[in-house]
PDB file of all heavy atoms in Angstrom:
ATOM      1  N   GLY A   1     -36.072  -1.396 -69.958  1.00 97.00           N
ATOM      2  CA  GLY A   1     -36.884  -2.489 -70.469  1.00 97.00           C
ATOM      3  C   GLY A   1     -37.766  -3.171 -69.449  1.00 97.00           C
ATOM      4  O   GLY A   1     -38.375  -4.191 -69.743  1.00 97.00           O
ATOM      5  N   ARG A   2     -37.843  -2.613 -68.266  1.00 96.00           N
ATOM      6  CA  ARG A   2     -38.742  -3.169 -67.258  1.00 96.00           C
ATOM      7  C   ARG A   2     -39.136  -2.091 -66.265  1.00 96.00           C
ATOM      8  O   ARG A   2     -38.541  -1.025 -66.215  1.00 96.00           O
ATOM      9  CB  ARG A   2     -38.127  -4.362 -66.542  1.00 96.00           C
ATOM     10  CG  ARG A   2     -36.936  -4.022 -65.683  1.00 96.00           C
ATOM     11  CD  ARG A   2     -36.456  -5.181 -64.866  1.00 96.00           C
ATOM     12  NE  ARG A   2     -37.270  -5.301 -63.671  1.00 96.00           N
ATOM     13  CZ  ARG A   2     -36.867  -5.917 -62.574  1.00 96.00           C
ATOM     14  NH1 ARG A   2     -35.696  -6.502 -62.529  1.00 96.00           N
ATOM     15  NH2 ARG A   2     -37.638  -5.976 -61.528  1.00 96.00           N
ATOM     16  N   SER A   3     -40.130  -2.398 -65.467  1.00 95.00           N
ATOM     17  CA  SER A   3     -40.685  -1.470 -64.494  1.00 95.00           C
ATOM     18  C   SER A   3     -40.235  -1.814 -63.082  1.00 95.00           C
ATOM     19  O   SER A   3     -39.883  -2.963 -62.797  1.00 95.00           O
ATOM     20  CB  SER A   3     -42.223  -1.552 -64.576  1.00 95.00           C
ATOM     21  OG  SER A   3     -42.834  -0.792 -63.565  1.00 95.00           O
ATOM     22  N   GLN A   4     -40.278  -0.842 -62.209  1.00 92.00           N
ATOM     23  CA  GLN A   4     -40.107  -1.116 -60.782  1.00 92.00           C
ATOM     24  C   GLN A   4     -41.256  -1.975 -60.265  1.00 92.00           C
ATOM     25  O   GLN A   4     -41.111  -2.710 -59.307  1.00 92.00           O
ATOM     26  CB  GLN A   4     -40.089   0.179 -59.975  1.00 92.00           C
ATOM     27  CG  GLN A   4     -38.897   1.053 -60.214  1.00 92.00           C
ATOM     28  CD  GLN A   4     -38.951   2.261 -59.314  1.00 92.00           C
ATOM     29  OE1 GLN A   4     -38.838   2.148 -58.093  1.00 92.00           O
ATOM     30  NE2 GLN A   4     -39.134   3.419 -59.906  1.00 92.00           N
ATOM     31  N   ASN A   5     -42.404  -1.847 -60.911  1.00 91.00           N
ATOM     32  CA  ASN A   5     -43.609  -2.584 -60.527  1.00 91.00           C
ATOM     33  C   ASN A   5     -43.568  -3.962 -61.178  1.00 91.00           C
ATOM     34  O   ASN A   5     -43.652  -4.085 -62.396  1.00 91.00           O
ATOM     35  CB  ASN A   5     -44.839  -1.800 -60.976  1.00 91.00           C
ATOM     36  CG  ASN A   5     -46.136  -2.418 -60.530  1.00 91.00           C
ATOM     37  OD1 ASN A   5     -46.223  -3.628 -60.309  1.00 91.00           O
ATOM     38  ND2 ASN A   5     -47.157  -1.604 -60.408  1.00 91.00           N
ATOM     39  N   SER A   6     -43.456  -5.000 -60.390  1.00 91.00           N
ATOM     40  CA  SER A   6     -43.298  -6.355 -60.920  1.00 91.00           C
ATOM     41  C   SER A   6     -44.533  -6.877 -61.649  1.00 91.00           C
ATOM     42  O   SER A   6     -44.461  -7.900 -62.324  1.00 91.00           O
ATOM     43  CB  SER A   6     -42.904  -7.321 -59.798  1.00 91.00           C
ATOM     44  OG  SER A   6     -43.942  -7.363 -58.822  1.00 91.00           O
ATOM     45  N   THR A   7     -45.662  -6.182 -61.553  1.00 93.00           N
ATOM     46  CA  THR A   7     -46.855  -6.629 -62.280  1.00 93.00           C
ATOM     47  C   THR A   7     -46.855  -6.168 -63.740  1.00 93.00           C
ATOM     48  O   THR A   7     -47.657  -6.656 -64.526  1.00 93.00           O
ATOM     49  CB  THR A   7     -48.156  -6.131 -61.599  1.00 93.00           C
ATOM     50  OG1 THR A   7     -48.202  -4.700 -61.672  1.00 93.00           O
ATOM     51  CG2 THR A   7     -48.223  -6.586 -60.153  1.00 93.00           C
ATOM     52  N   HIS A   8     -45.968  -5.244 -64.093  1.00 94.00           N
ATOM     53  CA  HIS A   8     -45.883  -4.765 -65.474  1.00 94.00           C
ATOM     54  C   HIS A   8     -45.034  -5.715 -66.313  1.00 94.00           C
ATOM     55  O   HIS A   8     -44.017  -6.212 -65.840  1.00 94.00           O
ATOM     56  CB  HIS A   8     -45.278  -3.358 -65.531  1.00 94.00           C
ATOM     57  CG  HIS A   8     -46.126  -2.324 -64.877  1.00 94.00           C
ATOM     58  ND1 HIS A   8     -45.607  -1.153 -64.399  1.00 94.00           N
ATOM     59  CD2 HIS A   8     -47.449  -2.269 -64.615  1.00 94.00           C
ATOM     60  CE1 HIS A   8     -46.575  -0.417 -63.875  1.00 94.00           C
ATOM     61  NE2 HIS A   8     -47.705  -1.084 -63.993  1.00 94.00           N
ATOM     62  N   PRO A   9     -45.413  -5.919 -67.571  1.00 95.00           N
ATOM     63  CA  PRO A   9     -44.620  -6.810 -68.425  1.00 95.00           C
ATOM     64  C   PRO A   9     -43.285  -6.181 -68.811  1.00 95.00           C
ATOM     65  O   PRO A   9     -43.128  -4.968 -68.793  1.00 95.00           O
ATOM     66  CB  PRO A   9     -45.508  -7.003 -69.663  1.00 95.00           C
ATOM     67  CG  PRO A   9     -46.393  -5.800 -69.694  1.00 95.00           C
ATOM     68  CD  PRO A   9     -46.590  -5.386 -68.266  1.00 95.00           C
ATOM     69  N   TYR A  10     -42.332  -7.043 -69.164  1.00 97.00           N
ATOM     70  CA  TYR A  10     -41.031  -6.596 -69.655  1.00 97.00           C
ATOM     71  C   TYR A  10     -41.167  -6.140 -71.104  1.00 97.00           C
ATOM     72  O   TYR A  10     -42.064  -6.571 -71.825  1.00 97.00           O
ATOM     73  CB  TYR A  10     -40.012  -7.737 -69.600  1.00 97.00           C
ATOM     74  CG  TYR A  10     -39.458  -8.027 -68.229  1.00 97.00           C
ATOM     75  CD1 TYR A  10     -40.271  -8.109 -67.114  1.00 97.00           C
ATOM     76  CD2 TYR A  10     -38.114  -8.250 -68.062  1.00 97.00           C
ATOM     77  CE1 TYR A  10     -39.748  -8.394 -65.869  1.00 97.00           C
ATOM     78  CE2 TYR A  10     -37.580  -8.544 -66.816  1.00 97.00           C
ATOM     79  CZ  TYR A  10     -38.406  -8.608 -65.721  1.00 97.00           C
ATOM     80  OH  TYR A  10     -37.889  -8.885 -64.496  1.00 97.00           O
ATOM     81  N   LEU A  11     -40.250  -5.294 -71.532  1.00 98.00           N
ATOM     82  CA  LEU A  11     -40.183  -4.856 -72.917  1.00 98.00           C
ATOM     83  C   LEU A  11     -39.750  -6.025 -73.798  1.00 98.00           C
ATOM     84  O   LEU A  11     -38.768  -6.696 -73.498  1.00 98.00           O
ATOM     85  CB  LEU A  11     -39.169  -3.712 -73.059  1.00 98.00           C
ATOM     86  CG  LEU A  11     -38.847  -3.258 -74.478  1.00 98.00           C
ATOM     87  CD1 LEU A  11     -40.039  -2.518 -75.077  1.00 98.00           C
ATOM     88  CD2 LEU A  11     -37.614  -2.370 -74.482  1.00 98.00           C
ATOM     89  N   HIS A  12     -40.493  -6.278 -74.856  1.00 97.00           N
ATOM     90  CA  HIS A  12     -40.052  -7.212 -75.899  1.00 97.00           C
ATOM     91  C   HIS A  12     -39.468  -6.344 -76.992  1.00 97.00           C
ATOM     92  O   HIS A  12     -40.205  -5.752 -77.778  1.00 97.00           O
ATOM     93  CB  HIS A  12     -41.224  -8.047 -76.418  1.00 97.00           C
ATOM     94  CG  HIS A  12     -41.704  -9.050 -75.429  1.00 97.00           C
ATOM     95  ND1 HIS A  12     -42.592 -10.019 -75.736  1.00 97.00           N
ATOM     96  CD2 HIS A  12     -41.404  -9.243 -74.121  1.00 97.00           C
ATOM     97  CE1 HIS A  12     -42.830 -10.766 -74.684  1.00 97.00           C
ATOM     98  NE2 HIS A  12     -42.125 -10.298 -73.685  1.00 97.00           N
ATOM     99  N   GLY A  13     -38.161  -6.252 -76.992  1.00 98.00           N
ATOM    100  CA  GLY A  13     -37.451  -5.382 -77.914  1.00 98.00           C
ATOM    101  C   GLY A  13     -36.060  -5.128 -77.379  1.00 98.00           C
ATOM    102  O   GLY A  13     -35.465  -5.998 -76.744  1.00 98.00           O
ATOM    103  N   ALA A  14     -35.556  -3.924 -77.592  1.00 98.00           N
ATOM    104  CA  ALA A  14     -34.197  -3.599 -77.156  1.00 98.00           C
ATOM    105  C   ALA A  14     -34.068  -2.103 -76.905  1.00 98.00           C
ATOM    106  O   ALA A  14     -34.816  -1.301 -77.468  1.00 98.00           O
ATOM    107  CB  ALA A  14     -33.194  -4.036 -78.225  1.00 98.00           C
ATOM    108  N   VAL A  15     -33.106  -1.756 -76.055  1.00 98.00           N
ATOM    109  CA  VAL A  15     -32.785  -0.361 -75.748  1.00 98.00           C
ATOM    110  C   VAL A  15     -31.281  -0.191 -75.936  1.00 98.00           C
ATOM    111  O   VAL A  15     -30.500  -1.042 -75.517  1.00 98.00           O
ATOM    112  CB  VAL A  15     -33.165   0.004 -74.296  1.00 98.00           C
ATOM    113  CG1 VAL A  15     -32.771   1.445 -73.978  1.00 98.00           C
ATOM    114  CG2 VAL A  15     -34.645  -0.218 -74.045  1.00 98.00           C
ATOM    115  N   ARG A  16     -30.885   0.896 -76.576  1.00 97.00           N
ATOM    116  CA  ARG A  16     -29.459   1.215 -76.723  1.00 97.00           C
ATOM    117  C   ARG A  16     -29.284   2.729 -76.629  1.00 97.00           C
ATOM    118  O   ARG A  16     -30.251   3.483 -76.698  1.00 97.00           O
ATOM    119  CB  ARG A  16     -28.889   0.668 -78.025  1.00 97.00           C
ATOM    120  CG  ARG A  16     -29.398   1.364 -79.256  1.00 97.00           C
ATOM    121  CD  ARG A  16     -28.772   0.799 -80.522  1.00 97.00           C
ATOM    122  NE  ARG A  16     -29.123   1.660 -81.637  1.00 97.00           N
ATOM    123  CZ  ARG A  16     -29.156   1.267 -82.881  1.00 97.00           C
ATOM    124  NH1 ARG A  16     -28.856   0.039 -83.203  1.00 97.00           N
ATOM    125  NH2 ARG A  16     -29.481   2.112 -83.834  1.00 97.00           N
ATOM    126  N   ASP A  17     -28.064   3.154 -76.484  1.00 97.00           N
ATOM    127  CA  ASP A  17     -27.714   4.585 -76.438  1.00 97.00           C
ATOM    128  C   ASP A  17     -28.502   5.348 -75.380  1.00 97.00           C
ATOM    129  O   ASP A  17     -28.905   6.488 -75.606  1.00 97.00           O
ATOM    130  CB  ASP A  17     -27.915   5.246 -77.806  1.00 97.00           C
ATOM    131  CG  ASP A  17     -27.064   4.643 -78.902  1.00 97.00           C
ATOM    132  OD1 ASP A  17     -25.979   4.133 -78.585  1.00 97.00           O
ATOM    133  OD2 ASP A  17     -27.500   4.660 -80.064  1.00 97.00           O
ATOM    134  N   PHE A  18     -28.698   4.752 -74.217  1.00 97.00           N
ATOM    135  CA  PHE A  18     -29.408   5.416 -73.128  1.00 97.00           C
ATOM    136  C   PHE A  18     -28.520   6.521 -72.571  1.00 97.00           C
ATOM    137  O   PHE A  18     -27.347   6.284 -72.269  1.00 97.00           O
ATOM    138  CB  PHE A  18     -29.754   4.413 -72.026  1.00 97.00           C
ATOM    139  CG  PHE A  18     -30.479   5.025 -70.871  1.00 97.00           C
ATOM    140  CD1 PHE A  18     -31.837   5.255 -70.950  1.00 97.00           C
ATOM    141  CD2 PHE A  18     -29.803   5.380 -69.724  1.00 97.00           C
ATOM    142  CE1 PHE A  18     -32.515   5.838 -69.877  1.00 97.00           C
ATOM    143  CE2 PHE A  18     -30.464   5.950 -68.649  1.00 97.00           C
ATOM    144  CZ  PHE A  18     -31.824   6.182 -68.735  1.00 97.00           C
ATOM    145  N   ARG A  19     -29.070   7.718 -72.449  1.00 97.00           N
ATOM    146  CA  ARG A  19     -28.290   8.872 -71.959  1.00 97.00           C
ATOM    147  C   ARG A  19     -29.111   9.713 -70.987  1.00 97.00           C
ATOM    148  O   ARG A  19     -30.291   9.932 -71.200  1.00 97.00           O
ATOM    149  CB  ARG A  19     -27.875   9.778 -73.124  1.00 97.00           C
ATOM    150  CG  ARG A  19     -27.013   9.094 -74.142  1.00 97.00           C
ATOM    151  CD  ARG A  19     -26.691  10.025 -75.286  1.00 97.00           C
ATOM    152  NE  ARG A  19     -26.040   9.303 -76.363  1.00 97.00           N
ATOM    153  CZ  ARG A  19     -25.448   9.882 -77.377  1.00 97.00           C
ATOM    154  NH1 ARG A  19     -25.406  11.199 -77.459  1.00 97.00           N
ATOM    155  NH2 ARG A  19     -24.881   9.154 -78.319  1.00 97.00           N
ATOM    156  N   LEU A  20     -28.432  10.206 -69.968  1.00 94.00           N
ATOM    157  CA  LEU A  20     -28.995  11.189 -69.041  1.00 94.00           C
ATOM    158  C   LEU A  20     -28.190  12.471 -69.197  1.00 94.00           C
ATOM    159  O   LEU A  20     -26.962  12.432 -69.172  1.00 94.00           O
ATOM    160  CB  LEU A  20     -28.876  10.710 -67.594  1.00 94.00           C
ATOM    161  CG  LEU A  20     -29.739   9.540 -67.176  1.00 94.00           C
ATOM    162  CD1 LEU A  20     -29.342   9.078 -65.784  1.00 94.00           C
ATOM    163  CD2 LEU A  20     -31.197   9.931 -67.195  1.00 94.00           C
ATOM    164  N   HIS A  21     -28.863  13.578 -69.353  1.00 95.00           N
ATOM    165  CA  HIS A  21     -28.219  14.884 -69.465  1.00 95.00           C
ATOM    166  C   HIS A  21     -28.647  15.711 -68.259  1.00 95.00           C
ATOM    167  O   HIS A  21     -29.812  15.672 -67.868  1.00 95.00           O
ATOM    168  CB  HIS A  21     -28.649  15.607 -70.746  1.00 95.00           C
ATOM    169  CG  HIS A  21     -28.369  14.825 -71.993  1.00 95.00           C
ATOM    170  ND1 HIS A  21     -27.252  15.030 -72.768  1.00 95.00           N
ATOM    171  CD2 HIS A  21     -29.061  13.839 -72.599  1.00 95.00           C
ATOM    172  CE1 HIS A  21     -27.271  14.208 -73.803  1.00 95.00           C
ATOM    173  NE2 HIS A  21     -28.357  13.468 -73.718  1.00 95.00           N
ATOM    174  N   ASN A  22     -27.745  16.495 -67.720  1.00 93.00           N
ATOM    175  CA  ASN A  22     -28.063  17.290 -66.536  1.00 93.00           C
ATOM    176  C   ASN A  22     -28.753  18.608 -66.871  1.00 93.00           C
ATOM    177  O   ASN A  22     -28.825  19.503 -66.043  1.00 93.00           O
ATOM    178  CB  ASN A  22     -26.811  17.538 -65.698  1.00 93.00           C
ATOM    179  CG  ASN A  22     -25.791  18.388 -66.430  1.00 93.00           C
ATOM    180  OD1 ASN A  22     -25.947  18.705 -67.610  1.00 93.00           O
ATOM    181  ND2 ASN A  22     -24.725  18.753 -65.730  1.00 93.00           N
ATOM    182  N   ARG A  23     -29.280  18.705 -68.082  1.00 95.00           N
ATOM    183  CA  ARG A  23     -30.040  19.904 -68.486  1.00 95.00           C
ATOM    184  C   ARG A  23     -31.035  19.500 -69.567  1.00 95.00           C
ATOM    185  O   ARG A  23     -30.910  18.442 -70.174  1.00 95.00           O
ATOM    186  CB  ARG A  23     -29.109  20.984 -69.022  1.00 95.00           C
ATOM    187  CG  ARG A  23     -28.353  20.546 -70.254  1.00 95.00           C
ATOM    188  CD  ARG A  23     -27.318  21.584 -70.693  1.00 95.00           C
ATOM    189  NE  ARG A  23     -26.559  21.100 -71.814  1.00 95.00           N
ATOM    190  CZ  ARG A  23     -26.974  21.150 -73.080  1.00 95.00           C
ATOM    191  NH1 ARG A  23     -28.144  21.668 -73.366  1.00 95.00           N
ATOM    192  NH2 ARG A  23     -26.203  20.697 -74.054  1.00 95.00           N
ATOM    193  N   ALA A  24     -32.002  20.352 -69.778  1.00 96.00           N
ATOM    194  CA  ALA A  24     -32.975  20.108 -70.843  1.00 96.00           C
ATOM    195  C   ALA A  24     -32.355  20.522 -72.171  1.00 96.00           C
ATOM    196  O   ALA A  24     -31.969  21.680 -72.345  1.00 96.00           O
ATOM    197  CB  ALA A  24     -34.257  20.886 -70.589  1.00 96.00           C
TER     198      ALA A  24
END
């Protein structure tokens, strides 16, 4: 919901079920 770059705005909304998979 946000960027490493502090000049970018934050997400107005929500994030859930974030997943990283070690393969495509």
Side-chain angles (χ1 to χ4, degrees):
R2 67 173 278 202
S3 173
Q4 292 183 67
N5 185 334
S6 62
T7 65
H8 295 156
Y10 283 45
L11 172 71
H12 289 190
V15 178
R16 70 179 190 204
D17 299 331
F18 180 81
R19 299 178 189 192
L20 290 172
H21 303 263
N22 65 353
R23 62 186 176 82

